[in-house]
């Protein structure tokens, strides 16, 4: 068996699919190994535990998402353009890390209570700050309506975007960019400043 980085990535992809389908607690190393077509003991050549696997899956997803979000936030865009770019990067993240997003949505609340996964709560707080800050800036700069409940608007945007992971399939009829455009056309007309 090859022990290279490609094999490790294949095993992580398989583990991600199993975790997403079965749930973290219900998934055993044996189940992951069976899905990968190897013996359970062979997984330990690459990973010391299923916790290590889910940690690497989630941290890889969040590292990628934050690299893209940070580039958007540092880009000097206006509030509307920032929201547009954040939504687009979110859909790209769902496309690139579909199984990881499903795991995050199902398991983050429980996992973040463990010290190893404290970064999940940190990421959630950073996520909220980025989106709320952009919405607040939009109201202050009169790009968005002054009567918006910022926290409610944030929750609506967040949930509307990320729930798409439950039905979106990579390689499907619509690209992540097209879905982002459709979502944005529906959402932004409701928060633009009325003239």
């Amino acid at each position: 068996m090859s022990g290279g980085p490609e094999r490790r990535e294949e095993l992580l992809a398989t583990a991600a699919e199993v975790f997403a389908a079965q749930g973290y607690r219900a998934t055993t190393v044996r189940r992951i190994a069976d899905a990968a077509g190897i013996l359970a003991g062979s997984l330990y050549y690459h990973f010391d535990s299923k916790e290590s696997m889910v940690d690497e899956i989630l941290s890889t997803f969040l590292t990628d998402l934050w690299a893209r979000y940070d580039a958007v936030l540092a880009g000097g865009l206006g509030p509307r353009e920032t929201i547009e770019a954040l939504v687009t990067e979110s859909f790209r993240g769902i496309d690139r890390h579909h199984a990881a997003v499903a795991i995050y949505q199902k398991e983050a609340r429980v996992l973040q209570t463990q010290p190893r996964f404290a970064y999940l709560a940190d990421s959630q707080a950073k996520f909220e700050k980025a989106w709320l800050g952009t919405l607040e800036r939009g109201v202050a700069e009169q790009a968005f309506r002054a009567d918006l409940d910022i926290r409610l608007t944030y929750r609506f945007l967040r949930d509307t975007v990320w729930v798409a992971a439950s039905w979106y399939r990579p390689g499907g009829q619509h690209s992540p960019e097209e879905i982002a455009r459709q979502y944005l056309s529906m959402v932004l007309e409701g928060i633009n400043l009325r003239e």
Side-chain angles (χ1 to χ4, degrees):
M1 168 170 67
S2 169
E6 298 85 12
R7 181 60 174 153
R8 182 181 173 84
E9 287 179 27
E10 288 171 14
L11 292 171
L12 274 178
T14 300
E17 292 297 331
V18 175
F19 285 131
Q22 304 292 321
Y24 175 69
R25 291 181 63 169
T27 298
T28 62
V29 170
R30 178 180 297 273
R31 191 171 287 180
I32 295 167
D34 288 348
I38 62 175
L39 297 172
S42 298
L43 266 179
Y44 291 108
Y45 176 78
H46 298 277
F47 307 98
D48 62 8
S49 65
K50 74 174 190 174
E51 183 179 67
S52 293
M53 287 182 263
V54 81
D55 184 8
E56 191 165 336
I57 292 162
L58 292 175
S59 64
T60 298
F61 156 58
L62 290 173
T63 298
D64 180 54
L65 183 68
W66 276 108
R68 293 164 190 276
Y69 272 14
D70 287 341
V72 167
L73 296 168
L77 301 171
R80 179 185 172 115
E81 294 78 15
T82 300
I83 291 291
E84 290 171 344
L86 290 173
V87 167
T88 300
E89 289 302 341
S90 297
F91 280 110
R92 288 175 178 155
I94 292 168
D95 185 66
R96 278 189 309 277
H97 303 281
H98 190 261
V101 171
I103 296 164
Y104 182 88
Q105 289 178 333
K106 292 176 191 173
E107 310 290 351
R109 188 167 289 148
V110 172
L111 289 174
Q112 70 189 13
T113 63
Q114 300 175 32
R116 179 177 195 154
F117 295 97
Y119 66 88
L120 296 175
D122 295 342
S123 182
Q124 180 57 38
K126 185 178 173 185
F127 184 90
E128 185 172 316
K129 181 179 177 185
W131 286 73
L132 284 172
T134 302
L135 289 167
E136 288 166 353
R137 185 166 57 98
V139 169
E141 294 176 11
Q142 298 185 339
F144 302 145
R145 296 184 352 228
D147 65 331
L148 286 181
D149 179 318
I150 297 297
R151 190 158 288 281
L152 186 60
T153 303
Y154 156 69
R155 288 182 179 133
F156 173 77
L157 282 169
R158 177 197 65 197
D159 294 350
T160 300
V161 169
W162 291 102
V163 77
S166 67
W167 57 262
Y168 176 79
R169 295 295 168 259
Q173 180 179 357
H174 300 290
S175 71
E177 294 79 11
E178 176 58 25
I179 294 171
R181 278 193 297 277
Q182 291 292 323
Y183 266 58
L184 287 163
S185 72
M186 291 182 274
V187 170
L188 286 176
E189 296 313 312
I191 65 173
N192 274 346
L193 184 66
R194 292 183 182 142
E195 296 188 21

